[in-house]
Amino acid sequence: MFRERVFADATSGYEDAGFVIFGVPFDATSSFRYGSREAPDVIRKASYNFETYNDFFDVDLTDLYIHDLGDLDLDTHTGDMLYAVYDVTAMILRDGKIPIVLGGEHTLTYGCVKAFTEAFNDPVPDFGVIILDAHLDLRDEYLGARQSHACVSRNIIDDLTDNCVLIGVRSGSAEEYAHAKERGILWHSADEVDDAGMESVIRESLDALSGRGCERIYLSIDTDVIDPAYAPGVGNPEPFGLSPRDVRAAIRLAAPYACGFDIVEVNPGYDHGESAMLGARLVREFIAAKSVCTC
Ligand code: MN
Ligand code: MN
């Protein structure tokens, strides 16, 4: 681990912390634009823009116990990255804390979910995954790699758990859409969120997961789920996306069930800081939302 600066208000030691942040500066399988490896530090820097007080939840982040472990020390080997992410997430869960991961490309989510699968699998799996993403990420391989950002949902569903819902989707190959149908994968399009509202979509998703016995969830936010007008600095921008308010609503509604959170695919080289700023703010919203839960 190395650490230049901590996320704003992450002033607690590890032992006392309820929330533990770590960064994954990894973008080796990125297909269109590299640069998300720079995001963890840029998101940390952006986090100092905000007031410590969250008026919606009446919570001051300085009153909470947040620790920032820094960034994983990584090279470009995907398997090593996934193992390191898994290992740190598993440690945080064992210690009864909530992991918050700053990506990096979406591939890393597999390592987090693997740790959750093992932590909450006894005697039966009782956790699910909600992924907000413009893309289905259901390819079985991409550019010769099976562990790629374009395959992350496929790998999670195939290897780890099919208690998984995708929200905000508006892009995928014909094969991916066909696979989703065949496998009965639960997904909601960005248009559906626009028509029905995020509250209805997220409630339906949480109900579907709880109907399968999932009391807890892991929440993964691929920043490209947000419209490029608001978040242009991402690896694969996709128009007709969600608004930042939609994503904030999803976080507020899902937080009571969420035991882990990541924000991935911010690519700071392609905008003027908007996407990292939004990423930092969404992390702060998650922490505030989760801190008021009695669960
Ligand atoms: Mn993705
Ligand atoms: Mn995506």
Side-chain angles (χ1 to χ4, degrees):
M1 291 281 184
F2 60 92
R3 191 166 84 170
E4 272 182 45
R5 67 172 65 74
V6 296
F7 194 82
D9 308 312
T11 52
S12 166
Y14 179 80
E15 290 301 319
D16 297 330
F19 299 95
V20 177
I21 296 170
F22 68 98
V24 184
F26 184 88
D27 61 5
T29 85
S30 297
S31 47
F32 183 59
R33 296 163 156 185
Y34 287 89
S36 65
R37 69 180 174 279
E38 311 290 346
D41 200 45
V42 180
I43 292 172
R44 286 191 182 93
K45 216 180 284 177
S47 68
Y48 286 87
N49 174 51
F50 301 107
E51 293 287 353
T52 62
Y53 179 65
N54 182 308
D55 66 320
F56 185 83
F57 291 106
D58 188 22
V59 165
D60 202 304
L61 267 66
T62 54
D63 294 333
L64 306 178
Y65 293 89
I66 308 164
H67 181 73
D68 188 341
L69 284 167
D71 286 350
L72 299 179
D73 200 354
L74 300 168
D75 59 22
T76 57
H77 190 276
T78 311
D80 291 350
M81 178 277 289
L82 286 175
Y83 186 78
V85 170
Y86 158 78
D87 202 34
V88 174
T89 308
M91 172 190 80
I92 296 168
L93 291 177
R94 257 194 323 270
D95 294 337
K97 306 172 190 302
I98 294 172
I100 295 175
V101 190
L102 311 176
E105 58 168 67
H106 208 171
T107 320
L108 67 91
T109 300
Y110 183 89
C112 303
V113 175
K114 187 170 161 58
F116 271 79
T117 312
E118 290 176 13
F120 301 126
N121 222 1
D122 190 24
V124 285
D126 71 346
F127 94 101
V129 184
I130 293 182
I131 298 175
L132 271 62
D133 199 328
H135 307 95
L136 284 169
D137 288 350
L138 287 173
R139 286 185 152 87
D140 58 354
E141 65 147 51
Y142 193 56
L143 304 174
R146 196 173 162 259
Q147 287 292 359
S148 154
H149 68 98
C151 314
V152 64
S153 299
R154 174 72 173 259
N155 289 331
I156 287 171
I157 292 166
D158 278 2
D159 299 355
L160 301 175
T161 176
D162 34 17
N163 296 326
C164 183
V165 186
L166 313 175
I167 297 176
V169 174
R170 53 196 186 275
S171 173
S173 67
E175 290 78 13
E176 288 176 275
Y177 279 97
H179 180 77
K181 199 171 175 189
E182 230 166 77
R183 257 322 281 271
I185 291 169
L186 304 171
W187 66 274
H188 300 276
S189 70
D191 285 347
E192 204 180 327
V193 173
D194 203 46
D195 292 345
M198 181 55 96
E199 185 168 347
S200 137
V201 168
I202 201 97
R203 286 204 193 286
E204 196 182 312
S205 306
L206 289 165
D207 284 351
L209 291 173
S210 105
R212 296 176 175 197
C214 303
E215 302 302 327
R216 301 175 261 219
I217 61 158
Y218 180 86
L219 181 60
S220 175
I221 298 186
D222 181 332
T223 310
D224 67 32
V225 78
I226 299 164
D227 194 274
Y230 301 106
V234 295
N236 296 86
E238 188 65 44
F240 310 113
L242 306 194
S243 74
R245 271 202 175 74
D246 292 329
V247 176
R248 187 181 64 177
I251 289 174
R252 287 178 176 172
L253 291 161
Y257 312 95
C259 303
F261 177 88
D262 69 46
I263 179 108
V264 297
E265 295 289 347
V266 168
N267 195 329
Y270 289 89
D271 66 6
H272 299 287
E274 299 93 321
S275 308
M277 197 63 70
L278 200 46
R281 185 62 183 77
L282 293 174
V283 168
R284 294 176 74 74
E285 191 72 13
F286 174 74
I287 293 172
K290 187 68 195 170
S291 74
V292 299
C293 301
T294 47
C295 46

